[in-house]
Amino acid sequence: MAYNDAKKRSNQKSDAKYMQILLKPYKAEGEAIKKAAITAGQSTQAYVLQAVRERMEKGK
């Protein structure tokens, strides 16, 4: 039980730092994003976040 309680606390601490944003692209577009991320040598999350950050910087 101690492991489960410790893991629960760890997850809660981690969850407090992050926000979830749900994206629901059409399947073909989602696959294209995943392939582009792989080609770039990144995870899908890293690829999308980089694209968002770049777009936000352009808007400043």
Side-chain angles (χ1 to χ4, degrees):
M1 278 295 189
Y3 171 79
N4 290 335
D5 291 339
K7 182 64 176 167
K8 183 177 178 181
R9 284 192 305 276
S10 175
N11 287 347
Q12 288 172 340
K13 185 177 176 182
S14 178
D15 289 347
K17 295 188 280 185
Y18 297 101
M19 172 187 271
Q20 287 188 349
I21 300 173
L22 177 64
L23 301 174
K24 291 177 75 172
Y26 288 108
K27 288 184 181 191
E29 189 175 22
E31 287 302 320
I33 292 168
K34 284 185 173 194
K35 286 178 184 176
I38 291 168
T39 300
Q42 294 179 297
S43 67
T44 304
Q45 177 172 312
Y47 185 83
V48 170
L49 287 175
Q50 179 183 349
V52 169
R53 288 182 190 118
E54 289 174 4
R55 176 105 187 240
M56 288 169 51
E57 279 299 314
K58 283 183 182 180
K60 286 185 177 180

